[in-house]
């Protein structure tokens, strides 16, 4: 997606669908199919044979026989490709083998210069997450393109169609805020959507007047993210609230019946930092609409 000034030229020519063929991937597959149709995209199906849980022996007490994993992947890939071909979607399949599935998906996306990665997530937490990891979070913490993640409460797109009519874009103003807002506005313009720009104050001011001044200040900063040309197709709404970040984002999304939440994702220098839960993880686990994350450039 090319950034021109403070606007983005929306192109979604290449989509990577990261799938493990589990039920949590089915909704992600449906979203990827609809997006590929909408933007006439080339869709790359990507599955990673996870070598960290594979074993060469069928008699092993733990792990999965690698030949069975490869066979299952081949059968599922063939089934998905036939399904996509019947919907006249241009698709290819990539089977990768790696000890770090998220790193393999990110590497593939960079190799083919993907404009978007689509993935599902189980949204695991606590010990279960620490043991099994979170491939989706590993992807959006490191991907250089936007990532559309379909959480466990998100249903498949109704009637095989997507209309992002109400978009919540939440920012903490930490890095590349204008660029991320430009991507959100570009997706909004494609659907002529209502855009809600949101910032959550984590703490109040010294007194009521100081808190009010902070709200006015950040409302002004949110408005400055919107180019004048945007008002030709919509009137964005700026929302500044006080409290816990994730619950307020989720609350706003519910009130306006959002079709899409767009968040910034902080890049990580290590593949293990994603084991800690954060705002994005909490939103993904509890929202009923897709979440698009945009990393810092």
């Amino acid at each position: 997606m090319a950034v021109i000034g403070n606007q983005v030229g929306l192109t979604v020519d290449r989509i990577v669908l990261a799938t493990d063929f589990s039920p949590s991937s089915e909704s992600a597959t449906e979203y990827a199919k609809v997006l590929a149709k909408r933007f006439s995209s080339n869709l790359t199906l990507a599955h990673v044979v996870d070598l960290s849980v594979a074993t060469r022996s069928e008699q092993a007490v733990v792990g999965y026989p690698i030949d069975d994993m490869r066979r299952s992947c081949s059968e599922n890939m063939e089934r998905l490709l036939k399904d996509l071909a019947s919907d006249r979607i241009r698709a290819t399949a990539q089977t990768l083998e790696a000890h770090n599935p998220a790193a393999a998906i990110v590497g593939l996306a960079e190799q083919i210069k993907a404009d978007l990665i689509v993935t599902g997530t189980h949204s695991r937490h606590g010990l279960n997450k620490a043991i099994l990891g979170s491939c989706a979070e590993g992807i959006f913490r490191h991907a250089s393109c936007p990532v559309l993640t379909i959480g466990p409460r998100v249903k498949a797109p109704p009637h095989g169609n997507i209309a992002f009519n109400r978009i919540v874009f939440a920012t903490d103003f930490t890095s590349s805020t204008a660029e991320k807002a430009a991507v959100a506005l570009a997706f909004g313009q494609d659907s002529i959507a209502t855009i809600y720009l949101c910032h959550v104050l984590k703490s109040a001011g010294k007194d009521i007047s100081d808190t009010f001044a902070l709200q006015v200040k950040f409302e002004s900063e949110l408005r400055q993210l919107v180019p004048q040309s945007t008002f030709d197709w919509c009137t964005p709404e700026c929302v500044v609230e006080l409290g816990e970040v994730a619950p307020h984002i989720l609350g706003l999304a519910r009130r306006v019946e959002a079709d899409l939440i767009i968040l910034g994702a902080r890049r990580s220098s290590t593949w293990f930092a994603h084991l800690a839960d954060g705002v994005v993880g909490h939103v993904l686990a509890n929202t009923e609409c897709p979440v698009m994350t945009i990393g810092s450039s």
Side-chain angles (χ1 to χ4, degrees):
M1 297 182 189
V3 179
I4 305 171
N6 57 353
Q7 298 187 48
V8 166
L10 183 61
T11 56
V12 190
D13 294 332
R14 292 171 292 276
I15 298 175
V16 170
L17 169 61
T19 179
D20 62 1
F21 311 114
S22 67
S24 67
S25 291
E26 291 179 3
S27 289
T29 299
E30 293 304 311
Y31 272 93
K33 286 167 61 175
V34 176
L35 287 168
K37 284 184 180 179
R38 183 182 191 124
F39 294 104
S40 299
S41 312
N42 289 305
L43 181 61
T44 299
L45 304 177
H47 175 74
V48 181
V49 174
D50 189 350
L51 298 180
S52 67
V53 297
T55 176
R56 300 282 175 178
S57 171
E58 294 185 0
Q59 287 73 42
V61 177
V62 295
Y64 304 94
I66 191 168
D67 288 341
D68 288 352
M69 294 172 73
R70 289 168 174 160
R71 187 181 309 109
S72 175
C73 171
S74 177
E75 292 172 354
N76 281 298
M77 281 293 199
E78 184 177 354
R79 172 181 56 80
L80 272 179
L81 285 173
K82 287 182 178 179
D83 182 42
L84 293 167
S86 66
D87 285 335
R88 298 182 180 179
I89 295 172
R90 291 171 293 173
T92 57
Q94 287 277 354
T95 300
L96 310 169
E97 296 188 5
H99 287 85
N100 187 330
I105 295 295
V106 171
L108 172 64
E110 292 178 348
Q111 178 185 339
I112 69 173
K113 296 180 172 58
D115 299 296
L116 181 69
I117 299 173
V118 180
T119 184
T121 180
H122 304 281
S123 289
R124 300 183 176 109
H125 293 278
L127 181 61
N128 193 33
K129 183 175 182 180
I131 294 172
L132 298 173
S134 173
C135 184
E137 195 164 348
I139 291 170
F140 69 67
R141 293 292 183 197
H142 295 83
S144 56
C145 65
V147 179
L148 186 73
T149 305
I150 312 302
R153 298 190 180 190
V154 180
K155 297 178 181 179
H159 313 298
N161 189 27
I162 294 177
F164 295 139
N165 295 320
R166 293 169 295 278
I167 298 175
V168 170
F169 169 70
T171 179
D172 59 4
F173 290 103
T174 53
S175 63
S176 306
T177 302
E179 181 178 332
K180 294 170 185 176
V183 174
L185 292 169
F187 271 92
Q189 186 172 10
D190 179 71
S191 299
I192 314 298
T194 301
I195 308 288
Y196 299 86
L197 295 97
C198 172
H199 175 69
V200 180
L201 298 170
K202 295 181 181 179
S203 57
K206 298 176 183 178
D207 50 40
I208 294 177
S209 62
D210 190 31
T211 300
F212 179 73
L214 285 172
Q215 289 178 313
V216 171
K217 172 181 178 292
F218 281 108
E219 283 179 8
S220 175
E221 291 193 18
L222 287 172
R223 283 194 294 272
Q224 290 176 27
L225 296 173
V226 183
Q228 189 61 40
S229 60
T230 299
F231 293 92
D232 293 338
W233 56 269
C234 85
T235 302
E237 296 191 26
C238 299
V239 180
V240 178
E241 299 183 350
L242 172 65
E244 293 294 322
V245 178
H248 277 281
I249 293 172
L250 289 165
L252 174 61
R254 283 192 293 269
R255 290 197 305 274
V256 304
E257 299 181 335
D259 304 301
L260 177 67
I261 297 173
I262 300 182
L263 304 172
R266 294 182 182 178
R267 290 287 183 85
S268 175
S269 59
T270 171
W271 288 96
F272 300 100
H274 66 271
L275 294 179
D277 292 324
V279 170
V280 179
H282 187 86
V283 171
L284 278 171
N286 294 282
T287 186
E288 296 182 0
C289 68
V291 176
M292 180 177 292
T293 48
I294 306 169
S296 303
S297 57

